[in-house]
Amino acid sequence: MTASLRLSVLDLVPVRSGQSSAGAVAASVRLAQLADRLGFTRYWFAEHHNMPSVASTTPPVLVASIAARTERIRVGSGGVMLPNHAPLVVAEQFAALEALAPGRIDLGIGRAPGSDPVITQLLRISGPTADVDRFPEHVADILSLLSPDGASLRLTSGREYAITATPAATDVPTLWLLGSSDYSAKLAASLGLPYVFANHFSGEGLERALELYRTEYQPSEAHPVPETFLTVNASVAPTLEEARARALPQLHSMARLRTNRPMRALETVEEAAAAPLDSIGDELIAGMEKRWIIADAAGAASELRTLAARHGIDEVMVSPIGGSYDAEPADATPGREQTLELLAGELLAG
């Protein structure tokens, strides 16, 4: 790990009880602007569908909005779930974003659908999507389409037909592969692409994935050496007690997801405290608490430094999961803002 530690943000645009989608998006806009002012490196939006507690359904739309409202921070997807989209459409969207905010756009691509089987099927029958079995081919297609030279298609007549994501590109977004298994790590290595392990969702297999990525990496012109960082859920507050209280709504939500219970909007801190789960849920929560960063400012900074040193990285992307109290405004997210402010004070000051 280098002497300094860069911090970035992963945002799922959480929606809590009593909050509208408009309120949730407004809160994320404020959070992104705060991250920009504090010196965070990048701000990514995830792609999830048909979830009552998640409003980040369309990363390109959110990226465009945040890019227009910030000054220096890199903005991107963490990630676009490629099986849900036609590769040409993804390339065109992010080429347009690069034109809007030159040098500030990241295109993170994932292989998972980001939804349940019903929504996955709906996407496949209602619009252009990509065959998941052709994921490596489609990643390569996007790389070609985004390049200034574009790609070419051989027609049945034998004629070459030129295709570009935008007419006159001068720069391209940085493409990252995302994953939580060996598959994406090996593919990123073979293509010479940056790679991110989804540690915030599942820490299983982290060490092996990073080892495979680094040992099998094939240098590319754009990326001569492997580039990687980690994601982690974080709730940071002035006291450990408050950090734990603010983490509980997201812990409850993840426990419901992992036990196939009906999903709903995130609870407030008070609602979560008044609604304990059963023993299975409690066991899951205890396991997640060990992997998440739930601490005061000094403790969180120490944990992040240790995590970075253990895995040989110099950047950590935090998913700020601090929940809200009943009385806090619906168009802001004080718990998540506090997490970023306290981490920046410990790790980015000076």
Side-chain angles (χ1 to χ4, degrees), residues 175-244:
L175 196 153
W176 294 74
L177 281 192
L178 320 179
S180 56
S181 67
D182 296 352
Y183 180 92
S184 292
K186 292 172 71 70
L187 180 60
S190 69
L191 296 175
L193 290 173
Y195 169 70
V196 181
F197 184 88
N199 185 61
H200 70 288
F201 184 74
S202 171
E204 299 293 329
L206 167 60
E207 290 81 3
R208 174 173 168 78
L210 291 184
E211 181 182 7
L212 284 171
Y213 173 64
R214 287 167 171 155
T215 57
E216 298 186 12
Y217 191 78
Q218 300 296 313
S220 62
E221 183 177 350
H223 307 284
V225 297
E227 301 173 51
T228 187
F229 60 79
L230 295 181
T231 60
V232 64
N233 293 311
S235 174
V236 186
T239 66
L240 176 59
E241 180 182 26
E242 183 184 342
R244 285 174 171 166

Short mmCIF file of all heavy atoms in Angstrom, two decimals, residues 175-244:
data_model
loop_
_atom_site.label_atom_id
_atom_site.label_comp_id
_atom_site.label_asym_id
_atom_site.label_seq_id
_atom_site.Cartn_x
_atom_site.Cartn_y
_atom_site.Cartn_z
N LEU A 175 -12.67 1.87 -18.52
CA LEU A 175 -13.54 0.71 -18.35
C LEU A 175 -12.98 -0.19 -17.24
O LEU A 175 -11.81 -0.57 -17.26
CB LEU A 175 -13.65 -0.07 -19.66
CG LEU A 175 -14.81 -1.07 -19.76
CD1 LEU A 175 -15.23 -1.26 -21.21
CD2 LEU A 175 -14.43 -2.43 -19.16
N TRP A 176 -13.83 -0.51 -16.26
CA TRP A 176 -13.50 -1.40 -15.16
C TRP A 176 -14.39 -2.63 -15.22
O TRP A 176 -15.59 -2.51 -15.52
CB TRP A 176 -13.74 -0.71 -13.81
CG TRP A 176 -12.86 0.45 -13.51
CD1 TRP A 176 -12.93 1.71 -14.06
CD2 TRP A 176 -11.80 0.49 -12.56
NE1 TRP A 176 -11.96 2.52 -13.53
CE2 TRP A 176 -11.25 1.80 -12.59
CE3 TRP A 176 -11.26 -0.45 -11.69
CZ2 TRP A 176 -10.19 2.17 -11.78
CZ3 TRP A 176 -10.20 -0.07 -10.87
CH2 TRP A 176 -9.67 1.23 -10.93
N LEU A 177 -13.84 -3.79 -14.93
CA LEU A 177 -14.67 -4.98 -14.75
C LEU A 177 -14.93 -5.18 -13.27
O LEU A 177 -14.03 -5.05 -12.44
CB LEU A 177 -13.98 -6.22 -15.33
CG LEU A 177 -14.05 -6.41 -16.84
CD1 LEU A 177 -13.60 -7.83 -17.21
CD2 LEU A 177 -15.44 -6.17 -17.39
N LEU A 178 -16.18 -5.50 -12.95
CA LEU A 178 -16.60 -5.70 -11.57
C LEU A 178 -17.01 -7.15 -11.38
O LEU A 178 -17.51 -7.79 -12.31
CB LEU A 178 -17.78 -4.79 -11.22
CG LEU A 178 -17.75 -3.36 -11.75
CD1 LEU A 178 -19.00 -2.62 -11.34
CD2 LEU A 178 -16.51 -2.64 -11.26
N GLY A 179 -16.84 -7.67 -10.19
CA GLY A 179 -17.26 -9.04 -9.96
C GLY A 179 -17.07 -9.45 -8.52
O GLY A 179 -16.45 -8.75 -7.72
N SER A 180 -17.62 -10.63 -8.19
CA SER A 180 -17.45 -11.20 -6.85
C SER A 180 -17.05 -12.67 -6.95
O SER A 180 -17.36 -13.46 -6.07
CB SER A 180 -18.75 -11.06 -6.05
OG SER A 180 -19.84 -11.66 -6.73
N SER A 181 -16.38 -13.02 -8.06
CA SER A 181 -15.94 -14.40 -8.26
C SER A 181 -14.66 -14.40 -9.09
O SER A 181 -14.20 -13.35 -9.55
CB SER A 181 -17.02 -15.22 -8.97
OG SER A 181 -17.18 -14.76 -10.30
N ASP A 182 -14.13 -15.60 -9.30
CA ASP A 182 -12.91 -15.73 -10.10
C ASP A 182 -13.13 -15.31 -11.55
O ASP A 182 -12.20 -14.85 -12.22
CB ASP A 182 -12.43 -17.19 -10.09
CG ASP A 182 -12.01 -17.66 -8.71
OD1 ASP A 182 -11.96 -16.83 -7.79
OD2 ASP A 182 -11.76 -18.87 -8.58
N TYR A 183 -14.35 -15.47 -12.05
CA TYR A 183 -14.63 -15.27 -13.48
C TYR A 183 -14.19 -13.88 -13.94
O TYR A 183 -13.41 -13.74 -14.90
CB TYR A 183 -16.11 -15.49 -13.77
CG TYR A 183 -16.49 -15.30 -15.21
CD1 TYR A 183 -16.50 -16.37 -16.09
CD2 TYR A 183 -16.84 -14.05 -15.70
CE1 TYR A 183 -16.85 -16.21 -17.43
CE2 TYR A 183 -17.18 -13.87 -17.03
CZ TYR A 183 -17.18 -14.94 -17.89
OH TYR A 183 -17.51 -14.77 -19.22
N SER A 184 -14.71 -12.84 -13.31
CA SER A 184 -14.41 -11.48 -13.74
C SER A 184 -12.95 -11.12 -13.49
O SER A 184 -12.35 -10.36 -14.25
CB SER A 184 -15.33 -10.47 -13.05
OG SER A 184 -16.66 -10.62 -13.50
N ALA A 185 -12.37 -11.67 -12.41
CA ALA A 185 -10.96 -11.41 -12.13
C ALA A 185 -10.08 -11.94 -13.26
O ALA A 185 -9.16 -11.26 -13.73
CB ALA A 185 -10.57 -12.06 -10.81
N LYS A 186 -10.35 -13.16 -13.71
CA LYS A 186 -9.56 -13.77 -14.79
C LYS A 186 -9.80 -13.04 -16.11
O LYS A 186 -8.87 -12.83 -16.90
CB LYS A 186 -9.91 -15.25 -14.91
CG LYS A 186 -9.47 -16.09 -13.72
CD LYS A 186 -10.02 -17.49 -13.78
CE LYS A 186 -9.37 -18.32 -14.87
NZ LYS A 186 -7.98 -18.65 -14.54
N LEU A 187 -11.05 -12.64 -16.37
CA LEU A 187 -11.34 -11.93 -17.62
C LEU A 187 -10.66 -10.57 -17.64
O LEU A 187 -10.07 -10.17 -18.65
CB LEU A 187 -12.86 -11.78 -17.80
CG LEU A 187 -13.30 -11.06 -19.07
CD1 LEU A 187 -12.83 -11.79 -20.32
CD2 LEU A 187 -14.83 -10.90 -19.09
N ALA A 188 -10.73 -9.84 -16.53
CA ALA A 188 -10.06 -8.53 -16.46
C ALA A 188 -8.56 -8.69 -16.68
O ALA A 188 -7.94 -7.88 -17.38
CB ALA A 188 -10.34 -7.88 -15.11
N ALA A 189 -7.99 -9.73 -16.10
CA ALA A 189 -6.56 -9.97 -16.27
C ALA A 189 -6.22 -10.26 -17.72
O ALA A 189 -5.24 -9.75 -18.26
CB ALA A 189 -6.12 -11.13 -15.38
N SER A 190 -7.04 -11.07 -18.39
CA SER A 190 -6.75 -11.45 -19.77
C SER A 190 -6.90 -10.28 -20.73
O SER A 190 -6.22 -10.22 -21.76
CB SER A 190 -7.66 -12.60 -20.21
OG SER A 190 -9.01 -12.18 -20.32
N LEU A 191 -7.79 -9.32 -20.41
CA LEU A 191 -8.02 -8.17 -21.27
C LEU A 191 -7.16 -6.96 -20.89
O LEU A 191 -7.21 -5.93 -21.58
CB LEU A 191 -9.51 -7.77 -21.23
CG LEU A 191 -10.50 -8.79 -21.79
CD1 LEU A 191 -11.93 -8.31 -21.57
CD2 LEU A 191 -10.24 -9.05 -23.27
N GLY A 192 -6.41 -7.06 -19.81
CA GLY A 192 -5.60 -5.93 -19.38
C GLY A 192 -6.43 -4.76 -18.91
O GLY A 192 -6.14 -3.60 -19.22
N LEU A 193 -7.48 -5.06 -18.10
CA LEU A 193 -8.40 -4.03 -17.64
C LEU A 193 -8.33 -3.89 -16.12
O LEU A 193 -8.03 -4.84 -15.40
CB LEU A 193 -9.84 -4.38 -18.03
CG LEU A 193 -10.20 -4.31 -19.50
CD1 LEU A 193 -11.60 -4.86 -19.72
CD2 LEU A 193 -10.10 -2.87 -20.00
N PRO A 194 -8.66 -2.71 -15.59
CA PRO A 194 -8.81 -2.56 -14.14
C PRO A 194 -9.95 -3.43 -13.62
O PRO A 194 -10.91 -3.72 -14.35
CB PRO A 194 -9.13 -1.07 -13.98
CG PRO A 194 -8.64 -0.42 -15.21
CD PRO A 194 -8.83 -1.43 -16.30
N TYR A 195 -9.86 -3.81 -12.36
CA TYR A 195 -10.81 -4.77 -11.78
C TYR A 195 -11.17 -4.35 -10.35
O TYR A 195 -10.32 -3.88 -9.59
CB TYR A 195 -10.17 -6.16 -11.77
CG TYR A 195 -10.92 -7.20 -10.97
CD1 TYR A 195 -12.14 -7.68 -11.40
CD2 TYR A 195 -10.39 -7.68 -9.77
CE1 TYR A 195 -12.82 -8.65 -10.66
CE2 TYR A 195 -11.07 -8.65 -9.03
CZ TYR A 195 -12.29 -9.13 -9.48
OH TYR A 195 -12.96 -10.07 -8.75
N VAL A 196 -12.45 -4.54 -10.00
CA VAL A 196 -12.92 -4.28 -8.64
C VAL A 196 -13.69 -5.48 -8.13
O VAL A 196 -14.61 -5.96 -8.80
CB VAL A 196 -13.83 -3.03 -8.58
CG1 VAL A 196 -14.28 -2.78 -7.14
CG2 VAL A 196 -13.10 -1.80 -9.10
N PHE A 197 -13.31 -5.97 -6.95
CA PHE A 197 -14.04 -7.06 -6.31
C PHE A 197 -15.14 -6.46 -5.45
O PHE A 197 -14.91 -5.54 -4.67
CB PHE A 197 -13.09 -7.89 -5.44
CG PHE A 197 -13.74 -9.10 -4.82
CD1 PHE A 197 -13.77 -10.30 -5.50
CD2 PHE A 197 -14.32 -9.03 -3.56
CE1 PHE A 197 -14.38 -11.43 -4.95
CE2 PHE A 197 -14.93 -10.13 -3.00
CZ PHE A 197 -14.95 -11.34 -3.69
N ALA A 198 -16.36 -7.00 -5.58
CA ALA A 198 -17.53 -6.47 -4.87
C ALA A 198 -17.53 -6.93 -3.42
O ALA A 198 -18.39 -7.71 -2.98
CB ALA A 198 -18.81 -6.90 -5.58
N ASN A 199 -16.57 -6.44 -2.67
CA ASN A 199 -16.40 -6.85 -1.28
C ASN A 199 -17.54 -6.36 -0.40
O ASN A 199 -17.83 -6.94 0.65
CB ASN A 199 -15.06 -6.31 -0.76
CG ASN A 199 -14.74 -6.78 0.62
OD1 ASN A 199 -14.62 -7.97 0.87
ND2 ASN A 199 -14.61 -5.85 1.55
N HIS A 200 -18.23 -5.27 -0.81
CA HIS A 200 -19.34 -4.76 -0.01
C HIS A 200 -20.53 -5.72 0.00
O HIS A 200 -21.33 -5.72 0.93
CB HIS A 200 -19.80 -3.40 -0.55
CG HIS A 200 -20.49 -3.49 -1.88
ND1 HIS A 200 -19.80 -3.75 -3.04
CD2 HIS A 200 -21.80 -3.37 -2.24
CE1 HIS A 200 -20.65 -3.78 -4.06
NE2 HIS A 200 -21.86 -3.55 -3.59
N PHE A 201 -20.64 -6.53 -1.05
CA PHE A 201 -21.77 -7.45 -1.16
C PHE A 201 -21.40 -8.83 -0.63
O PHE A 201 -22.19 -9.47 0.07
CB PHE A 201 -22.23 -7.56 -2.62
CG PHE A 201 -23.45 -8.41 -2.79
CD1 PHE A 201 -24.69 -7.95 -2.42
CD2 PHE A 201 -23.34 -9.69 -3.32
CE1 PHE A 201 -25.83 -8.74 -2.56
CE2 PHE A 201 -24.47 -10.48 -3.48
CZ PHE A 201 -25.71 -10.01 -3.10
N SER A 202 -20.22 -9.30 -0.98
CA SER A 202 -19.78 -10.61 -0.53
C SER A 202 -18.26 -10.64 -0.43
O SER A 202 -17.57 -10.43 -1.42
CB SER A 202 -20.25 -11.71 -1.51
OG SER A 202 -19.66 -12.96 -1.19
N GLY A 203 -17.77 -10.90 0.77
CA GLY A 203 -16.33 -10.97 0.94
C GLY A 203 -15.74 -12.33 0.62
O GLY A 203 -14.53 -12.53 0.70
N GLU A 204 -16.62 -13.28 0.23
CA GLU A 204 -16.15 -14.63 -0.05
C GLU A 204 -15.26 -14.66 -1.30
O GLU A 204 -15.66 -14.17 -2.36
CB GLU A 204 -17.34 -15.57 -0.26
CG GLU A 204 -18.27 -15.69 0.94
CD GLU A 204 -17.62 -16.37 2.12
OE1 GLU A 204 -16.74 -17.23 1.89
OE2 GLU A 204 -17.97 -16.04 3.27
N GLY A 205 -14.08 -15.23 -1.18
CA GLY A 205 -13.21 -15.40 -2.33
C GLY A 205 -12.38 -14.19 -2.70
O GLY A 205 -11.76 -14.16 -3.77
N LEU A 206 -12.33 -13.19 -1.83
CA LEU A 206 -11.62 -11.95 -2.14
C LEU A 206 -10.14 -12.20 -2.41
O LEU A 206 -9.60 -11.76 -3.44
CB LEU A 206 -11.78 -10.97 -0.98
CG LEU A 206 -10.86 -9.73 -0.96
CD1 LEU A 206 -11.08 -8.89 -2.20
CD2 LEU A 206 -11.10 -8.92 0.30
N GLU A 207 -9.47 -12.88 -1.50
CA GLU A 207 -8.02 -13.08 -1.65
C GLU A 207 -7.69 -13.83 -2.93
O GLU A 207 -6.75 -13.47 -3.66
CB GLU A 207 -7.46 -13.83 -0.44
CG GLU A 207 -7.44 -13.03 0.85
CD GLU A 207 -8.78 -13.00 1.56
OE1 GLU A 207 -9.74 -13.67 1.08
OE2 GLU A 207 -8.89 -12.29 2.58
N ARG A 208 -8.45 -14.89 -3.21
CA ARG A 208 -8.18 -15.67 -4.42
C ARG A 208 -8.39 -14.84 -5.68
O ARG A 208 -7.61 -14.90 -6.62
CB ARG A 208 -9.06 -16.91 -4.45
CG ARG A 208 -8.93 -17.70 -5.75
CD ARG A 208 -9.68 -19.03 -5.69
NE ARG A 208 -9.79 -19.62 -7.02
CZ ARG A 208 -8.81 -20.27 -7.64
NH1 ARG A 208 -7.63 -20.40 -7.03
NH2 ARG A 208 -8.98 -20.77 -8.84
N ALA A 209 -9.49 -14.05 -5.71
CA ALA A 209 -9.77 -13.24 -6.90
C ALA A 209 -8.65 -12.24 -7.16
O ALA A 209 -8.21 -12.07 -8.30
CB ALA A 209 -11.11 -12.52 -6.72
N LEU A 210 -8.18 -11.57 -6.12
CA LEU A 210 -7.11 -10.60 -6.31
C LEU A 210 -5.81 -11.28 -6.75
O LEU A 210 -5.07 -10.75 -7.59
CB LEU A 210 -6.87 -9.82 -5.01
CG LEU A 210 -7.98 -8.85 -4.59
CD1 LEU A 210 -7.57 -8.08 -3.34
CD2 LEU A 210 -8.35 -7.89 -5.70
N GLU A 211 -5.53 -12.46 -6.18
CA GLU A 211 -4.32 -13.17 -6.57
C GLU A 211 -4.39 -13.59 -8.04
O GLU A 211 -3.41 -13.44 -8.79
CB GLU A 211 -4.13 -14.41 -5.69
CG GLU A 211 -2.87 -15.20 -6.03
CD GLU A 211 -2.72 -16.46 -5.19
OE1 GLU A 211 -3.66 -16.79 -4.45
OE2 GLU A 211 -1.68 -17.11 -5.30
N LEU A 212 -5.53 -14.12 -8.46
CA LEU A 212 -5.69 -14.51 -9.87
C LEU A 212 -5.52 -13.31 -10.78
O LEU A 212 -4.85 -13.39 -11.82
CB LEU A 212 -7.07 -15.15 -10.08
CG LEU A 212 -7.26 -16.57 -9.59
CD1 LEU A 212 -8.73 -16.95 -9.67
CD2 LEU A 212 -6.42 -17.54 -10.41
N TYR A 213 -6.15 -12.21 -10.43
CA TYR A 213 -6.07 -11.00 -11.26
C TYR A 213 -4.63 -10.53 -11.40
O TYR A 213 -4.16 -10.25 -12.51
CB TYR A 213 -6.94 -9.90 -10.64
CG TYR A 213 -6.81 -8.57 -11.33
CD1 TYR A 213 -7.20 -8.41 -12.66
CD2 TYR A 213 -6.29 -7.46 -10.67
CE1 TYR A 213 -7.07 -7.18 -13.30
CE2 TYR A 213 -6.17 -6.24 -11.29
CZ TYR A 213 -6.56 -6.10 -12.61
OH TYR A 213 -6.43 -4.89 -13.24
N ARG A 214 -3.91 -10.47 -10.30
CA ARG A 214 -2.55 -9.94 -10.35
C ARG A 214 -1.57 -10.89 -11.02
O ARG A 214 -0.69 -10.46 -11.77
CB ARG A 214 -2.10 -9.60 -8.93
CG ARG A 214 -2.79 -8.35 -8.37
CD ARG A 214 -2.59 -8.21 -6.89
NE ARG A 214 -3.07 -6.91 -6.40
CZ ARG A 214 -3.46 -6.68 -5.16
NH1 ARG A 214 -3.42 -7.65 -4.26
NH2 ARG A 214 -3.87 -5.48 -4.80
N THR A 215 -1.70 -12.18 -10.75
CA THR A 215 -0.72 -13.13 -11.30
C THR A 215 -0.97 -13.42 -12.77
O THR A 215 -0.03 -13.72 -13.52
CB THR A 215 -0.74 -14.45 -10.51
OG1 THR A 215 -2.07 -15.01 -10.53
CG2 THR A 215 -0.31 -14.23 -9.07
N GLU A 216 -2.22 -13.32 -13.24
CA GLU A 216 -2.54 -13.63 -14.63
C GLU A 216 -2.65 -12.38 -15.50
O GLU A 216 -2.99 -12.48 -16.68
CB GLU A 216 -3.84 -14.44 -14.71
CG GLU A 216 -3.75 -15.79 -14.00
CD GLU A 216 -5.00 -16.65 -14.22
OE1 GLU A 216 -5.82 -16.29 -15.09
OE2 GLU A 216 -5.14 -17.67 -13.52
N TYR A 217 -2.36 -11.22 -14.95
CA TYR A 217 -2.57 -9.97 -15.68
C TYR A 217 -1.72 -9.88 -16.94
O TYR A 217 -0.51 -10.13 -16.92
CB TYR A 217 -2.27 -8.77 -14.78
CG TYR A 217 -2.71 -7.47 -15.37
CD1 TYR A 217 -4.05 -7.10 -15.34
CD2 TYR A 217 -1.80 -6.61 -15.98
CE1 TYR A 217 -4.47 -5.91 -15.90
CE2 TYR A 217 -2.22 -5.41 -16.53
CZ TYR A 217 -3.56 -5.07 -16.49
OH TYR A 217 -3.99 -3.89 -17.06
N GLN A 218 -2.39 -9.51 -18.05
CA GLN A 218 -1.73 -9.28 -19.32
C GLN A 218 -1.72 -7.78 -19.60
O GLN A 218 -2.77 -7.19 -19.85
CB GLN A 218 -2.47 -10.02 -20.45
CG GLN A 218 -2.54 -11.52 -20.25
CD GLN A 218 -1.17 -12.16 -20.28
OE1 GLN A 218 -0.35 -11.88 -21.16
NE2 GLN A 218 -0.89 -13.01 -19.29
N PRO A 219 -0.56 -7.14 -19.55
CA PRO A 219 -0.51 -5.68 -19.71
C PRO A 219 -1.15 -5.23 -21.03
O PRO A 219 -0.99 -5.87 -22.07
CB PRO A 219 0.99 -5.38 -19.69
CG PRO A 219 1.60 -6.53 -18.96
CD PRO A 219 0.77 -7.72 -19.33
N SER A 220 -1.86 -4.13 -20.97
CA SER A 220 -2.43 -3.50 -22.16
C SER A 220 -1.82 -2.12 -22.32
O SER A 220 -1.17 -1.59 -21.40
CB SER A 220 -3.95 -3.38 -22.02
OG SER A 220 -4.29 -2.56 -20.91
N GLU A 221 -2.02 -1.52 -23.47
CA GLU A 221 -1.45 -0.20 -23.72
C GLU A 221 -1.98 0.84 -22.74
O GLU A 221 -1.24 1.67 -22.21
CB GLU A 221 -1.74 0.24 -25.15
CG GLU A 221 -1.13 1.58 -25.52
CD GLU A 221 -1.39 1.96 -26.97
OE1 GLU A 221 -1.88 1.11 -27.74
OE2 GLU A 221 -1.09 3.12 -27.34
N ALA A 222 -3.28 0.78 -22.47
CA ALA A 222 -3.89 1.75 -21.57
C ALA A 222 -3.58 1.46 -20.11
O ALA A 222 -3.56 2.37 -19.28
CB ALA A 222 -5.40 1.79 -21.79
N HIS A 223 -3.36 0.18 -19.79
CA HIS A 223 -3.15 -0.22 -18.40
C HIS A 223 -1.99 -1.21 -18.32
O HIS A 223 -2.19 -2.43 -18.28
CB HIS A 223 -4.43 -0.85 -17.84
CG HIS A 223 -5.65 -0.01 -18.01
ND1 HIS A 223 -5.91 1.09 -17.22
CD2 HIS A 223 -6.66 -0.08 -18.91
CE1 HIS A 223 -7.05 1.65 -17.61
NE2 HIS A 223 -7.52 0.97 -18.63
N PRO A 224 -0.77 -0.71 -18.29
CA PRO A 224 0.41 -1.61 -18.30
C PRO A 224 0.56 -2.44 -17.04
O PRO A 224 1.24 -3.46 -17.06
CB PRO A 224 1.58 -0.64 -18.48
CG PRO A 224 1.05 0.69 -18.04
CD PRO A 224 -0.39 0.70 -18.37
N VAL A 225 -0.06 -2.01 -15.93
CA VAL A 225 0.01 -2.77 -14.68
C VAL A 225 -1.40 -2.96 -14.15
O VAL A 225 -2.31 -2.19 -14.46
CB VAL A 225 0.88 -2.03 -13.63
CG1 VAL A 225 2.31 -1.90 -14.10
CG2 VAL A 225 0.29 -0.66 -13.30
N PRO A 226 -1.61 -4.01 -13.35
CA PRO A 226 -2.96 -4.23 -12.80
C PRO A 226 -3.39 -3.09 -11.89
O PRO A 226 -2.58 -2.53 -11.15
CB PRO A 226 -2.81 -5.55 -12.02
CG PRO A 226 -1.36 -5.73 -11.79
CD PRO A 226 -0.66 -5.06 -12.93
N GLU A 227 -4.66 -2.74 -11.97
CA GLU A 227 -5.24 -1.68 -11.14
C GLU A 227 -6.47 -2.24 -10.45
O GLU A 227 -7.36 -2.79 -11.10
CB GLU A 227 -5.64 -0.47 -11.99
CG GLU A 227 -4.50 0.16 -12.77
CD GLU A 227 -5.00 1.24 -13.72
OE1 GLU A 227 -5.75 2.12 -13.26
OE2 GLU A 227 -4.68 1.17 -14.92
N THR A 228 -6.53 -2.09 -9.14
CA THR A 228 -7.68 -2.63 -8.42
C THR A 228 -7.89 -1.87 -7.12
O THR A 228 -6.97 -1.23 -6.60
CB THR A 228 -7.48 -4.14 -8.11
OG1 THR A 228 -8.68 -4.67 -7.54
CG2 THR A 228 -6.32 -4.36 -7.15
N PHE A 229 -9.10 -1.90 -6.62
CA PHE A 229 -9.40 -1.41 -5.28
C PHE A 229 -10.55 -2.24 -4.72
O PHE A 229 -11.07 -3.13 -5.39
CB PHE A 229 -9.70 0.10 -5.26
CG PHE A 229 -10.86 0.54 -6.10
CD1 PHE A 229 -12.17 0.39 -5.68
CD2 PHE A 229 -10.65 1.15 -7.33
CE1 PHE A 229 -13.24 0.81 -6.45
CE2 PHE A 229 -11.71 1.60 -8.12
CZ PHE A 229 -13.01 1.41 -7.66
N LEU A 230 -10.93 -1.97 -3.49
CA LEU A 230 -11.98 -2.74 -2.83
C LEU A 230 -13.16 -1.86 -2.48
O LEU A 230 -13.03 -0.65 -2.28
CB LEU A 230 -11.44 -3.36 -1.53
CG LEU A 230 -10.34 -4.39 -1.65
CD1 LEU A 230 -9.97 -4.90 -0.26
CD2 LEU A 230 -10.76 -5.55 -2.53
N THR A 231 -14.33 -2.49 -2.37
CA THR A 231 -15.52 -1.81 -1.86
C THR A 231 -15.82 -2.35 -0.47
O THR A 231 -15.54 -3.50 -0.15
CB THR A 231 -16.73 -2.05 -2.77
OG1 THR A 231 -17.01 -3.45 -2.84
CG2 THR A 231 -16.48 -1.51 -4.18
N VAL A 232 -16.41 -1.50 0.37
CA VAL A 232 -16.75 -1.92 1.73
C VAL A 232 -17.89 -1.06 2.24
O VAL A 232 -17.96 0.14 1.95
CB VAL A 232 -15.52 -1.81 2.67
CG1 VAL A 232 -15.06 -0.37 2.82
CG2 VAL A 232 -15.81 -2.42 4.04
N ASN A 233 -18.82 -1.66 2.96
CA ASN A 233 -19.91 -0.92 3.60
C ASN A 233 -19.38 -0.21 4.84
O ASN A 233 -18.58 -0.78 5.59
CB ASN A 233 -21.04 -1.87 4.00
CG ASN A 233 -21.72 -2.48 2.80
OD1 ASN A 233 -22.09 -1.78 1.87
ND2 ASN A 233 -21.90 -3.79 2.82
N ALA A 234 -19.84 1.01 5.07
CA ALA A 234 -19.31 1.79 6.20
C ALA A 234 -20.39 2.65 6.83
O ALA A 234 -21.14 3.35 6.14
CB ALA A 234 -18.15 2.66 5.75
N SER A 235 -20.44 2.59 8.15
CA SER A 235 -21.24 3.51 8.95
C SER A 235 -20.31 4.10 10.00
O SER A 235 -19.83 3.39 10.89
CB SER A 235 -22.41 2.78 9.64
OG SER A 235 -23.10 3.66 10.52
N VAL A 236 -20.04 5.40 9.87
CA VAL A 236 -19.08 6.07 10.76
C VAL A 236 -19.80 7.24 11.44
O VAL A 236 -20.52 8.00 10.79
CB VAL A 236 -17.86 6.57 9.98
CG1 VAL A 236 -16.80 7.12 10.93
CG2 VAL A 236 -17.27 5.45 9.12
N ALA A 237 -19.59 7.36 12.74
CA ALA A 237 -20.27 8.40 13.52
C ALA A 237 -19.33 8.87 14.64
O ALA A 237 -18.29 8.26 14.89
CB ALA A 237 -21.57 7.85 14.11
N PRO A 238 -19.69 9.95 15.32
CA PRO A 238 -18.83 10.42 16.42
C PRO A 238 -18.63 9.37 17.51
O PRO A 238 -17.60 9.36 18.18
CB PRO A 238 -19.58 11.65 16.95
CG PRO A 238 -20.35 12.15 15.77
CD PRO A 238 -20.77 10.90 15.03
N THR A 239 -19.61 8.49 17.70
CA THR A 239 -19.49 7.43 18.70
C THR A 239 -19.79 6.08 18.06
O THR A 239 -20.54 6.00 17.07
CB THR A 239 -20.47 7.64 19.87
OG1 THR A 239 -21.81 7.49 19.38
CG2 THR A 239 -20.29 9.01 20.49
N LEU A 240 -19.23 5.03 18.62
CA LEU A 240 -19.51 3.69 18.14
C LEU A 240 -20.98 3.35 18.30
O LEU A 240 -21.58 2.70 17.44
CB LEU A 240 -18.65 2.67 18.91
CG LEU A 240 -18.88 1.19 18.61
CD1 LEU A 240 -18.65 0.89 17.14
CD2 LEU A 240 -17.98 0.33 19.48
N GLU A 241 -21.59 3.82 19.37
CA GLU A 241 -23.02 3.55 19.60
C GLU A 241 -23.87 4.09 18.46
O GLU A 241 -24.77 3.41 17.95
CB GLU A 241 -23.44 4.18 20.93
CG GLU A 241 -24.92 3.95 21.27
CD GLU A 241 -25.34 4.63 22.57
OE1 GLU A 241 -24.69 5.65 22.95
OE2 GLU A 241 -26.30 4.17 23.18
N GLU A 242 -23.59 5.33 18.05
CA GLU A 242 -24.38 5.91 16.95
C GLU A 242 -24.09 5.20 15.63
O GLU A 242 -25.00 4.97 14.83
CB GLU A 242 -24.09 7.40 16.81
CG GLU A 242 -24.94 8.05 15.71
CD GLU A 242 -24.61 9.51 15.47
OE1 GLU A 242 -23.98 10.15 16.34
OE2 GLU A 242 -24.99 10.01 14.37
N ALA A 243 -22.83 4.85 15.39
CA ALA A 243 -22.48 4.13 14.15
C ALA A 243 -23.25 2.82 14.06
O ALA A 243 -23.74 2.46 12.99
CB ALA A 243 -20.98 3.88 14.11
N ARG A 244 -23.36 2.10 15.17
CA ARG A 244 -24.11 0.85 15.18
C ARG A 244 -25.60 1.08 14.95
O ARG A 244 -26.25 0.34 14.22
CB ARG A 244 -23.88 0.13 16.51
CG ARG A 244 -22.51 -0.53 16.64
CD ARG A 244 -22.29 -1.09 18.02
NE ARG A 244 -21.08 -1.90 18.10
CZ ARG A 244 -20.51 -2.27 19.24
NH1 ARG A 244 -21.04 -1.89 20.41
NH2 ARG A 244 -19.42 -3.03 19.22
#
